[in-house]
C-alpha cells in the first residue's frame, strides 16, 4: 500500500523506529503499564464513553439548535460534520490513549514535546468544567426531591415565592398564558435559585442547593472510589437507564393532542437555511462539543483498554449512538412542546428555548400538564441526573489519571489508598463549586460556561490536531493503529486527519472570534470586570500550551522543528 520502493521502505522503517520511543521505560512499565488496571469487559468501556458523550447537551441544546437552524434541514450539516469531523477525531484520541496507555499529559509529552502543554490543558479544562457542571446535577437533585412531594410545587400558588399578580393554578385560557409561564419562571428564579439582581450581588448561600451539591460530589466519589473498577459497574445503570426514560416519554408524548404539530415543527426542513454559514458553524460546534473532543477524557478512558482492542468499532458505536440520542431527545422534547402549545393555544416559537431554561423551566411545565405527572416528573429528573453523572465520571477521571501517571509512586506512598486521591479531587471540586450555589450563583455559572465551553475548547482542539496530525504525523498515527489492529486506517481517515479536521476546527475558531459577544444571562449584561474574569478563566486552561513549548525549547537545543518532532530526529540517529 505504500508503494514498495526503497525510499518508502526506509521511511516506513524510520517511522516504526520513531514509534519505539513511545514505548514506556522499564521503570514506567512496572509503574504504569503492568499495574495499570483495565476495563473488566469491553462493554464497560463502550458504556462509559457513550455515557460521557451522551449528556445534557443532547437534551437541552440539540433540539433547540435543530428547530432554530432549519428543522430537518439542519440534519444534513449535522450528519456531515459527524462523518467528517466527529468520528475521525474520536478515533484519533482512542488511538493515542490505547497505544500509549497513559493519560493526556504523558501521552502528549511523548508524541509531540513542543505541544506537551496541550495535554495539561485538557486536564485543566476538564477540571474547570467539572466544578460548574456538577451544579446542573445539583439542580436535578433539587427538582427530583421536590417532585416526590404531594404536589408539584411549580403548579401551586400557595407558596411564599409566588408573586400574587403573576400566579395562577392549573391550566389557563389563551388570554392568560403569560401568567402561567411567569409562574414557572418564578419557581426556578425565586424558589430554586433565589436569584439576585446580578453577579455584583452574590447574596448568601442557598443551603438546599449547597446540600444537593455536596450530595452530588459524594455520589461522584462513591462511583470513582475504586477507579474504573467501580465506574465500570455504575455505567451499566447510568448509561442505559436514560434510554428507557426517553423511549417511555416518547411513547407517552406522541399520544397527546398537539404532539404531531411539535414533531412536524422539529423535522420540517427549511432548505434556504443550508446556505447560511451560521447553520454549518452551529452543526460543527454541536458535534464537536457533544463528543467531548479535547477534554482528555477519551484519551484517559481508552488508556485503560487492552492493547489490541478494536477502537475503530468503538469510535463508530460512540459517535452513532450520540447522534441517535440527540435526534431521539429532539422528538421527545418537541412532542411535549407541541402538547403545551395545543393546551395553551400558543405558537411553539413562544415556548421553545435553549439551555437550562428548557429542562428546568419549560419541561417541568410540560410534565405537570401530562397524564400521571406524578410519575413522569421524578423519572425525568432521575434521567437528567444519570446523563450528568456519566459526563462527570469522565471529567474527574481525567484529573485522577493525570495525577497517577505524573506522580506515580509518590502518590502511592503518600496516599496509601487510591480512594484518598479520589476524595481529595472531589473535595477540591466541591469547594470550587460553592460560588455557584449562592443566590447570585446562576450568573457565575453562565460566565463560566460562556468562557470555558466554547473558545477555549476549540482553540485547544486545534492545537491538539496540529500537534498530532501535522507535527507528529498521520503516518505514525496510522502505524499505531496497524500495531494494535493489524490494519492501517483507511485513506478517508488519513485525509480527514491531515486536512479536513484541522481546517474545520480552524474555521470554527475564527467564526467564534469574529462573532464574539460578551457574556449575558437573559437581559442581564455582565460588567466589564466580570468579562475580564471570564477571559482569565479561559486563559487559565490554554496558557499551558505556550508555557510548555517555551519550557521544551529552553531545555533542548536545536530548531523549533527538531524540538517539536524529537522522536523523528532520534529515530534517524
Amino acid at each position: 500500500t505504500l508503494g514498495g520502493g526503497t525510499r518508502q521502505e526506509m521511511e516506513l522503517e524510520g517511522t516504526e523506529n520513531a514509534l519505539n520511543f513511545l514505548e514506556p521505560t522499564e521503570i514506567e512499565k512496572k509503574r504504569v503499564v503492568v499495574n495499570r488496571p483495565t476495563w473488566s469487559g469491553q462493554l464497560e468501556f463502550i458504556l462509559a464513553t457513550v455515557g460521557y458523550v451522551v449528556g445534557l447537551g443532547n437534551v437541552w441544546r440539540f433540539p433547540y439548535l435543530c428547530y432554530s437552524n432549519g428543522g430537518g434541514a439542519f440534519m444534513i450539516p449535522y450528519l456531515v460534520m459527524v462523518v467528517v469531523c466527529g468520528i475521525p477525531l474520536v478515533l484519533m484520541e482512542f488511538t493515542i490513549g490505547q497505544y500509549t496507555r497513559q493519560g493526556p499529559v504523558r501521552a502528549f509529552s511523548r508524541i509531540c514535546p513542543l505541544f506537551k502543554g496541550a495535554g495539561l490543558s485538557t486536564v485543566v479544562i476538564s477540571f474547570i468544567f467539572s466544578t460548574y457542571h456538577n451544579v446542573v446535577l445539583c439542580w436535578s437533585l433539587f427538582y427530583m426531591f421536590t417532585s416526590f412531594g404531594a404536589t408539584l410545587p411549580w403548579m401551586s400558588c400557595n407558596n411564599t415565592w409566588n408573586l400574587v399578580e403573576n400566579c395562577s393554578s392549573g391550566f389557563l385560557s389563551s388570554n392568560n398564558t403569560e401568567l402561567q409561564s411567569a409562574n414557572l419562571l418564578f419557581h426556578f428564579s425565586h424558589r430554586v435559585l433565589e436569584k439576585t439582581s446580578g453577579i455584583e450581588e452574590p447574596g448568601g448561600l442557598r443551603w438546599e442547593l449547597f446540600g444537593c451539591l455536596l450530595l452530588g460530589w459524594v455520589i461522584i466519589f462513591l462511583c470513582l472510589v475504586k477507579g474504573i473498577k467501580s465506574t465500570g459497574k455504575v455505567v451499566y445503570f447510568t448509561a442505559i437507564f436514560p434510554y428507557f426514560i426517553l423511549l417511555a416519554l416518547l411513547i407517552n408524548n406522541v399520544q397527546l393532542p398537539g404532539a404531531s404539530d411539535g414533531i412536524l415543527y422539529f423535522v420540517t426542513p427549511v432548505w434556504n437555511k443550508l446556505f447560511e454559514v451560521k447553520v454549518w458553524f452551529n452543526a460543527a460546534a454541536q458535534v464537536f462539543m457533544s463528543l467531548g473532543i479535547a477534554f482528555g477524557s477519551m484519551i484517559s478512558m481508552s488508556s485503560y483498554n487492552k492493547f489490541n482492542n478494536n477502537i475503530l468499532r468503538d469510535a463508530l458505536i460512540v459517535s452513532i449512538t450520540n447522534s441517535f440520542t440527540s435526534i431521539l431527545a429532539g422528538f421527545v422534547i418537541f412532542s411535549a412542546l407541541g402538547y403545551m402549545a395545543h393546551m395553551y393555544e400558543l405558537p411553539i416559537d413562544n415556548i421553545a428555548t435553549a439551555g437550562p431554561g428548557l429542562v428546568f423551566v419549560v419541561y417541568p411545565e410540560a410534565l405537570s400538564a401530562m397524564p400521571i405527572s406524578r410519575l413522569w416528573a421524578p423519572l425525568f429528573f432521575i434521567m437528567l441526573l444519570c446523563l450528568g453523572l456519566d459526563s462527570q465520571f469522565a471529567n474527574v477521571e481525567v484529573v485522577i489519571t493525570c495525577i497517577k501517571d505524573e506522580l506515580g509512586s509518590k502518590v502511592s506512598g503518600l496516599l496509601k489508598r487510591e480512594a484518598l486521591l479520589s476524595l481529595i479531587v472531589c473535595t477540591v471540586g466541591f469547594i470550587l463549586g460553592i460560588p455557584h450555589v449562592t443566590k447570585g450563583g446562576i450568573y457565575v455559572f453562565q460566565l463560566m460556561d460562556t468562557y470555558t465551553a466554547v473558545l477555549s475548547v476549540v482553540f485547544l482542539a486545534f492545537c491538539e490536531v496540529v500537534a498530532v496530525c501535522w507535527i507528529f504525523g498521520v503516518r505514525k498515527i496510522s502505524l499505531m493503529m496497524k500495531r494494535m489492529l493489524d490494519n492501517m486506517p483507511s485513506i478517508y481517515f488519513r485525509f480527514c486527519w491531515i486536512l479536513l479536521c484541522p481546517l474545520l476546527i480552524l474555521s470554527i475558531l475564527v467564526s467564534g472570534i469574529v462573532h464574539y459577544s460578551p457574556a449575558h444571562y437573559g437581559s442581564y449584561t455582565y460588567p466589564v470586570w466580570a468579562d475580564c474574569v471570564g477571559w482569565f478563566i479561559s486563559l487559565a486552561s490554554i496558557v499551558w500550551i505556550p508555557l510548555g513549548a517555551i519550557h521544551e525549547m529552553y531545555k533542548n537545543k536545536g530548531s523549533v522543528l527538531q524540538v517539536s518532532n524529537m522522536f523523528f530526529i532520534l529515530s534517524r540517529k
Side-chain angles (χ1 to χ4, degrees):
T1 56
L2 295 175
T6 303
R7 181 177 179 181
Q8 286 82 356
E9 290 176 356
M10 292 177 62
E11 289 180 355
L12 178 60
E13 181 182 358
T15 306
E16 289 276 10
N17 291 336
L19 286 182
N20 292 333
F21 287 88
L22 293 176
E23 301 295 334
T25 64
E26 291 302 318
I27 295 177
E28 288 173 334
K29 284 181 180 179
K30 294 179 182 180
R31 177 171 61 84
V32 178
V33 177
V34 174
N35 294 326
R36 193 177 189 84
T38 58
W39 299 99
S40 300
Q42 198 49 44
L43 182 59
E44 289 185 2
F45 170 68
I46 294 175
L47 289 177
T49 49
V50 166
Y52 167 63
V53 301
V54 175
L56 295 171
N58 299 77
V59 176
W60 76 22
R61 179 171 170 81
F62 177 82
Y64 180 81
L65 277 178
C66 195
Y67 110 90
S68 63
N69 288 275
F74 180 74
M75 300 292 184
I76 296 176
Y78 173 76
L79 294 177
V80 168
M81 295 303 170
V82 169
V83 174
V84 171
C85 185
I87 298 175
L89 290 181
V90 170
L91 179 61
M92 183 190 78
E93 293 202 346
F94 279 176
T95 301
I96 294 171
Q98 184 167 300
Y99 188 91
T100 63
R101 298 203 68 188
Q102 294 173 341
V105 176
R106 186 59 62 88
F108 274 91
S109 296
R110 287 185 172 277
I111 67 175
C112 186
L114 188 65
F115 277 81
K116 65 182 183 181
L120 182 57
S121 290
T122 63
V123 177
V124 173
I125 202 168
S126 289
F127 185 65
I128 293 175
F129 184 78
S130 69
T131 60
Y132 76 87
H133 184 266
N134 217 40
V135 178
V136 183
L137 300 186
C138 161
W139 296 338
S140 300
L141 284 168
F142 183 91
Y143 271 85
M144 183 187 71
F145 291 141
T146 57
S147 64
F148 283 114
T151 59
L152 297 177
W154 51 86
M155 294 182 65
S156 172
C157 288
N158 300 321
N159 304 286
T160 57
W161 48 266
N162 287 123
L163 297 183
V164 177
E165 67 273 16
N166 286 304
C167 182
S168 292
S169 299
F171 300 123
L172 301 172
S173 60
S174 58
N175 62 349
N176 218 10
T177 50
E178 293 183 358
L179 303 183
Q180 177 69 8
S181 297
N183 189 29
L184 268 292
L185 182 60
F186 286 140
H187 175 264
F188 184 63
S189 298
H190 299 296
R191 172 66 183 99
V192 180
L193 303 178
E194 293 187 12
K195 186 179 66 173
T196 61
S197 59
I199 198 171
E200 308 93 332
E201 185 183 351
L205 278 175
R206 280 285 292 113
W207 289 106
E208 291 170 298
L209 294 181
F210 179 87
C212 290
L213 181 67
L214 176 61
L215 177 59
W217 277 108
V218 169
I219 295 173
I220 296 294
F221 166 71
L222 293 177
C223 294
L224 293 173
V225 67
K226 294 184 178 179
I228 64 169
K229 296 298 182 182
S230 55
T231 305
K233 301 299 182 292
V234 175
V235 293
Y236 278 101
F237 174 77
T238 57
I240 296 175
F241 178 75
Y243 288 97
F244 286 102
I245 302 303
L246 285 173
L247 290 173
L249 284 170
L250 179 62
I251 294 172
N252 176 79
N253 291 0
V254 295
Q255 302 178 62
L256 299 175
S260 59
D261 296 332
I263 293 174
L264 285 175
Y265 191 90
F266 172 58
V267 301
T268 299
V270 182
W271 296 114
N272 60 352
K273 288 281 188 178
L274 291 178
F275 300 99
E276 296 182 12
V277 176
K278 182 186 71 173
V279 174
W280 290 84
F281 167 76
N282 287 335
Q286 173 63 16
V287 170
F288 185 79
M289 297 300 297
S290 64
L291 287 175
I293 304 297
F295 279 94
S297 299
M298 295 294 194
I299 296 176
S300 293
M301 290 191 290
S302 60
S303 71
Y304 296 105
N305 277 336
K306 295 179 180 178
F307 186 76
N308 60 349
N309 173 60
N310 190 342
I311 49 177
L312 176 58
R313 174 202 61 198
D314 295 348
L316 292 172
I317 291 175
V318 170
S319 302
I320 293 173
T321 303
N322 177 65
S323 300
F324 166 77
T325 308
S326 296
I327 297 171
L328 175 63
F331 281 101
V332 173
I333 295 295
F334 273 86
S335 58
L337 296 182
Y339 174 61
M340 288 178 61
H342 172 80
M343 293 297 299
Y344 300 152
E345 299 182 12
L346 276 176
I348 296 179
D349 286 354
N350 291 10
I351 300 175
T353 185
L358 181 61
V359 293
F360 294 114
V361 176
V362 175
Y363 211 84
E365 182 171 357
L367 292 170
S368 64
M370 290 180 186
I372 325 179
S373 60
R374 302 288 293 103
L375 171 65
W376 295 121
L379 288 178
F380 177 78
F381 292 112
I382 292 173
M383 179 193 74
L384 291 184
L385 182 64
C386 291
L387 290 174
L389 282 173
D390 288 330
S391 298
Q392 279 294 87
F393 295 157
N395 289 321
V396 177
E397 185 61 45
V398 171
V399 182
I400 295 174
T401 299
C402 170
I403 295 174
K404 290 191 297 185
D405 286 352
E406 292 303 306
L407 301 180
S409 58
K410 296 180 181 179
V411 173
S412 300
L414 184 63
L415 306 174
K416 300 300 182 182
R417 295 185 179 182
E418 185 175 324
L420 290 178
L421 176 59
S422 300
L423 178 61
I424 292 173
V425 173
C426 291
T427 301
V428 174
F430 165 70
I431 294 172
L432 293 178
I434 291 177
H436 298 89
V437 293
T438 61
K439 295 181 180 180
I442 186 62
Y443 302 104
V444 182
F445 174 88
Q446 188 66 27
L447 186 71
M448 294 279 289
D449 191 52
T450 299
Y451 286 97
T452 302
V454 185
L455 290 179
S456 296
V457 177
V458 177
F459 177 79
L460 178 55
F462 179 70
C463 293
E464 176 181 305
V465 172
V466 168
V468 175
C469 299
W470 287 358
I471 298 179
F472 182 66
V474 170
R475 180 185 293 271
K476 295 174 188 175
I477 305 173
S478 302
L479 285 169
M480 284 181 174
M481 287 191 61
K482 182 181 179 183
R483 285 189 176 185
M484 293 186 292
L485 306 181
D486 294 326
N487 286 303
M488 296 281 284
S490 68
I491 191 173
Y492 170 75
F493 285 114
R494 284 179 278 171
F495 180 67
C496 288
W497 288 333
I498 196 67
L499 184 62
L500 293 184
C501 290
L503 292 180
L504 177 61
I505 296 174
L506 180 61
S507 300
I508 297 173
L509 181 61
V510 172
S511 298
I513 295 174
V514 171
H515 296 96
Y516 163 78
S517 60
H520 63 88
Y521 179 72
S523 59
Y524 172 77
T525 302
Y526 285 83
V528 175
W529 67 264
D531 280 316
C532 292
V533 171
W535 278 111
F536 176 80
I537 295 170
S538 182
L539 292 174
S541 59
I542 62 178
V543 70
W544 306 104
I545 298 175
L547 290 180
I550 294 171
H551 177 262
E552 193 64 28
M553 294 175 65
Y554 174 77
K555 75 174 187 178
N556 292 287
K557 296 180 179 180
S559 66
V560 174
L561 181 61
Q562 288 173 326
V563 173
S564 65
N565 209 1
M566 185 182 300
F567 297 123
F568 182 79
I569 301 299
L570 290 174
S571 70
R572 293 293 193 264
K573 293 184 177 181

